[in-house]
Amino acid sequence: MNSETPDPLSSSDRSHQAARLQQFLAWELPPLVGVLATAVLLGVFYEHVVFVALTVLITIHIVVLVLARRWARQERLEIATLAVCSSLWFLAITLAFFAPMVWIAALMLVIRSAILALPYLPFRTLRRALLLASGGALVVCLLSLRGDPYGLLERVPGQAADIIILATTFAALCLDLLLLWQNSERLKETISALKESERTLEERIVQRTFELALASHEAERERLYSEALIQNSPVAIVATDPAVNVVTWNPAAERLFGFTAAEASGRNLDDLVADHPTIHDEAADYARIVTAETPRPIHAITQRRHRDGTLIDVEVSATPIIVGGQEMGVLAMYHDLTEIKRVEEALQESHRQLADIINMMPDAVLVIDREGRVIAWNRAIEEMTGTKAAEMLGKGDYEYALPFYGERRPIIIDLVTVPHRELEQKYTAIRREGQVLFGETYVPHLKGGGVYLLATACALHDVRGNVVGAIEVIRDFTERKHMEEALEQAKEAAEAATQAKSSFLATMSHEIRTPMNAIIGMSGLLMDTPLNADQREFAETIRNSGDALLTIINDILDFSKMEAGKMDLERQPFDVRECVESALDLIKLKASEKGLELACEVALDVPPAIISDVTRLRQVLVNLLGNAVKFTEQGEVVVTVTRDAETRREKDRETVSEPARPPVLVSLHFVVRDTGIGIPPDRLNRLFQAFSQVDASTTRRYGGTGLGLAVSKRLSEMMGGTMWVESEGVPGKGSAFHLTIRAPEATEVQARASQQREAPELRGRSVLIVDDNATNRRILTLQVQGWGMRARATGSPEEALDWVRQGAPFNLAILDLQMPEMDGVELAGALRAVGAGSKPAPTAFILLSSLGGYGKEIPADLFAACLSKPIRASALFDALMGIFARSVQQAAVPAAVPAGPAVGVEMAERLPLRILIAEDYVVNQKLAVRLLAQMGYRADVAANGLEAIQALERQPYDVILMDVQMPEMDGLEATRLICARWPGLERPRIVAMTANAMQGDREMCLAAGMDDYVSKPIRVEELVQALARCRPLAVGPSPV
Amino acid sequence: MPTDEIIDQATFSRLLDSLGGDADFLNELVEAYLDSSQALFASMRAAIASGEAPALQRAAHSLKTGSASFGALAFAARCKELEDLGKLAALAEAEARCEALEVAHADVAAALEAGVESVRPAA
């Protein structure tokens, strides 16, 4: 019952009720004990069953009440009340059985139970039923009052029992009423409490009203806030009414669609932003969906129309607005995707471009992702492998190796993440540069043939540096490989061709020079025979042409050698003056034929000897002199040699500080000056180019290839100097060719006597110099002054005669033969005539002449010496010494210089020489030994170069006659070794014996270090001449 | 130059002159020449067979100078050709020349011996 219905009593009520019940029971029990005692007494007194029964009833009642009191104490009110009520009812009914009077008491008891139970009966009906039952009980009581159907009352003695019972019951009823009054007091309290609560309620209503007012203000603020959110939202927000007409249009929407809020307001949303054929239907669909009976929200990426008609990419979200169950319209939000779209397109574009680039790359490209699946396979690799990208893309598990190797296997692209060390150890064919791997391979079967592939691979990384894949680029370099092979073959062929060319050149030079020498030699011999004028002219032409041709051939050969870098310079000590003089010797014939004066002036500080290539220096000088003579019609050609100031200073420093230092490098400056046609200044620079002359007409007029100067310039550069030309281009003023060389000064060559600064025999002697050529006069004057002589020079014979007539003392006169007024012979005669008088006159005469016929008889006894121009200092010195030494000693040795070499044993007596013959051929050995024996020499024989060196090690020799071609070690090689082992004065003179008596061979011999040469077959005269040039060595070479 | 003669008489007599007219020594020299010639031909053949061009060149050179000394100028010229072939390493061509030369050498030998006989005093 309790569980089903709410408890009608509050907990405070319950405790209160419990207290009331206990009070009721406390009051009830003592009278009941009294009633019980009375009933017991009555029973004892009357011995009537009624009293016994009454006693039992009252006892039961008392027990129930005691129990109820306990329950009440435990606040088990309901059961307590029920127990009391039930007991009361039971008592009332039992009483009703006994007597009519007791009905009233029973009625009162029932009323009491009702009063007790009422507050606890939860149900109205139950309460009513209880009241009805009480009423029914009352009616039953009233009816029973009419008689005593059972006669019980008659058996009760007197009215006493009735009175006791009535009294007791009445008293109990009174008590109950008292309790009831008390309850009404409580009711009053309850009413007042109600009034109190009503007042409290009113207060609370006032409070609530105030709170409501406050809340409405808050709501306004919230509305404004929401409004601001909408207005400031970067997203275009549009709200419409149910007919999709615009109500709200925020600034972002204004910006997105171009309509202002005022323009948009009230207009149909689709008319505003979906008025375009491509999107109109779609927008209408959306509108239907979102405004349907059961509306659904829309979310779509689509396009909307801008005011200017363009379509904008947008993301649309549309939801119905429902307030209180009623649809109020649509809320639409537009996200502008233009920028995102643009970035996306740019990204796609760049992806596409990248794909295109990879695809269009000429090299085969393969890209894989982290899992080894192919993500790019370009056109070149399609072409290379014949496998289409469609078949390959997305495939993993080394599928990409199949087209190359026919099997699934890792290739270089799979090695990009292999650590460097492991890579080095396991894959020696792969090399790594930074992050990139390189590998070459030969694939035997690809596209139907073998190909050479060069593969490059590297890892691909994301922005965080993680490996996301790898790329490999493969290049087919088969063609290059073949080209390299072809190139290698071509190179070999070219080298062979060069070899052949060199060989050809060597052979040709030899083959051309051989007949050339014959032509030149024979034409020379021919001119020595009696000829008529025509024949002589023909012979001369042959001779000159031959000379010219030989020069050209030599130039070409030299030039080829230089071009090939095969020109080697000799480094041997030689006499500078002798070199210049010998060069002059070679051209003096031509000069004299043209009537040109040749002169040479070597400065005194020029060292006596330098270490360089005498042959080449002479060649250059001859070339310059030859040109000078060729281009000069009249006048003179002068060579001057000076030492450059700079190197002189160097030398001074050397000598002061460190005399033991190696030989000083001297810089010599040669100038060949002529008085010819000159060279126009604008042509000067072309002069030294190969095959270039001043101009074409020059070539026609003077001939020549123009190679000579190019060769000369190169040679001068090889000798550490250079060459240039100065000319004003004025005919008659000629040009000056300058040549410089740098070379170490040679110390081991003894200075020639002519280079000595002073000679005691010549000191103080007085010399008269008569020459119409000023240069010659100057040179002669300087030369003789250098030897300590006093000189007086004039160009006029008359003046010279005057000087002598006036008594000027001269020991000697040096006279030029060809002078305009009076020639040298006449002048000598005149001077002697003066001397025949009392006047002192020169006692000795030296005649100077140009080479060639004198044109007149020269009295043999008139001149102590005849010297040909250009004057060689050594020849002049010898002549002077001959005159003055003889005059000093008086006991002069008769000048019995044999005209030809003496052949006989006395030669060895005169010139004792230790001779070694190095020759392998027995016939030549025998012949040489025999010929030498006839001269009185006992020669030793060595069969080859090696034996020659061994012989030299055993004992010293003065001369070696060296065959060039020998087995084991040829003459050239042997000569080089000998030069290296026995340097300077210890070295025997080496005379080559060669059958190839051509200039080239001779140069080769000299280049190897040989001093002289004789031709084979050996001829006595040649041998004698060669030996005559030898001198016994001062010291024998010490055996090594 | 007289090439129709096997031995150039001028050269031959100049050689004899230079030897002071010592015909005995000339004879000795000729014999040495002829002996060595056999050896030279042998080495030339060997050089051709073994492809040693320098050896061929050297031997031909010796034969040339020796022959020229006695005035066998035409023969010497042919030796020179062989020498040049050796220089150019044209051994196939050289082989034929060498054989021809050996045949020609017999004439030279005969002519030289005759020459020596003619100048030796009849003893």
Side-chain angles (χ1 to χ4, degrees), chain A residues 979-1022:
Chain A
C979 286
R981 283 184 59 174
W982 289 279
L985 296 172
E986 282 186 10
R987 178 169 71 76
R989 192 172 170 90
I990 302 174
V991 178
M993 294 192 293
T994 168
N996 307 338
M998 311 309 165
Q999 193 182 352
D1001 293 317
R1002 185 180 171 178
E1003 282 166 7
M1004 206 159 64
C1005 293
L1006 296 181
M1010 296 188 186
D1011 302 284
D1012 203 347
Y1013 89 126
V1014 295
S1015 58
K1016 283 198 291 189
I1018 305 161
R1019 301 223 316 264
V1020 179
E1021 304 81 42
E1022 246 184 309

Side-chain angles (χ1 to χ4, degrees), chain A residues 535-739:
Chain A
Q535 288 168 331
R536 177 164 296 280
E537 196 187 326
F538 297 156
E540 272 175 9
T541 308
I542 294 169
R543 171 72 191 249
N544 292 342
S545 306
D547 279 342
L549 191 52
L550 194 62
T551 308
I552 291 166
I553 290 163
N554 286 337
D555 282 349
I556 290 173
L557 289 171
D558 282 347
F559 195 71
S560 316
K561 265 197 218 164
M562 282 186 208
E563 288 287 291
K566 290 192 174 157
M567 173 73 83
D568 295 320
L569 286 188
E570 198 183 340
R571 290 175 58 79
Q572 290 291 326
F574 65 88
D575 184 329
V576 180
R577 287 167 180 80
E578 200 170 271
C579 173
V580 177
E581 284 162 3
S582 63
L584 286 164
D585 277 350
L586 286 172
I587 56 130
K588 69 183 171 193
L589 180 64
K590 275 186 197 146
S592 72
E593 281 167 358
K594 290 180 88 168
L596 300 175
E597 290 284 349
L598 271 186
C600 163
E601 184 184 357
V602 182
L604 288 172
D605 60 354
V606 170
I610 58 170
I611 297 173
S612 187
D613 189 329
V614 62
T615 317
R616 292 303 176 183
L617 179 59
R618 189 189 295 125
Q619 181 185 341
V620 175
L621 288 172
V622 168
N623 183 276
L624 294 180
L625 287 166
N627 281 343
V629 169
K630 186 151 79 172
F631 295 112
T632 306
E633 293 307 323
Q634 57 180 7
E636 59 181 12
V637 173
V638 183
V639 186
T640 58
V641 187
T642 53
R643 179 173 179 163
D644 272 359
E646 195 180 8
T647 53
R648 196 158 48 223
R649 278 205 306 277
E650 251 173 49
K651 188 196 171 191
D652 290 346
R653 261 204 318 273
E654 296 277 343
T655 47
V656 169
S657 61
E658 244 179 289
R661 288 274 297 268
V664 192
L665 268 188
V666 295
S667 180
L668 296 183
H669 188 166
F670 300 77
V671 185
V672 176
R673 195 172 274 110
D674 65 47
T675 53
I677 57 170
I679 302 156
D682 59 329
R683 303 295 171 85
L684 290 177
N685 55 341
R686 287 179 50 198
L687 215 54
F688 296 103
Q689 292 168 13
F691 304 105
S692 165
Q693 284 195 329
V694 173
D695 63 26
S697 63
T698 315
T699 312
R700 277 196 299 279
R701 188 168 159 201
Y702 297 103
T705 57
L707 264 182
L709 282 176
V711 170
S712 296
K713 186 169 165 67
R714 290 274 195 91
L715 283 173
S716 67
E717 283 162 1
M718 287 174 76
M719 288 189 275
T722 183
M723 188 182 253
W724 72 96
V725 62
E726 287 165 3
S727 179
E728 294 170 24
V730 180
K733 287 201 168 180
S735 48
F737 281 83
H738 296 256
L739 160 71

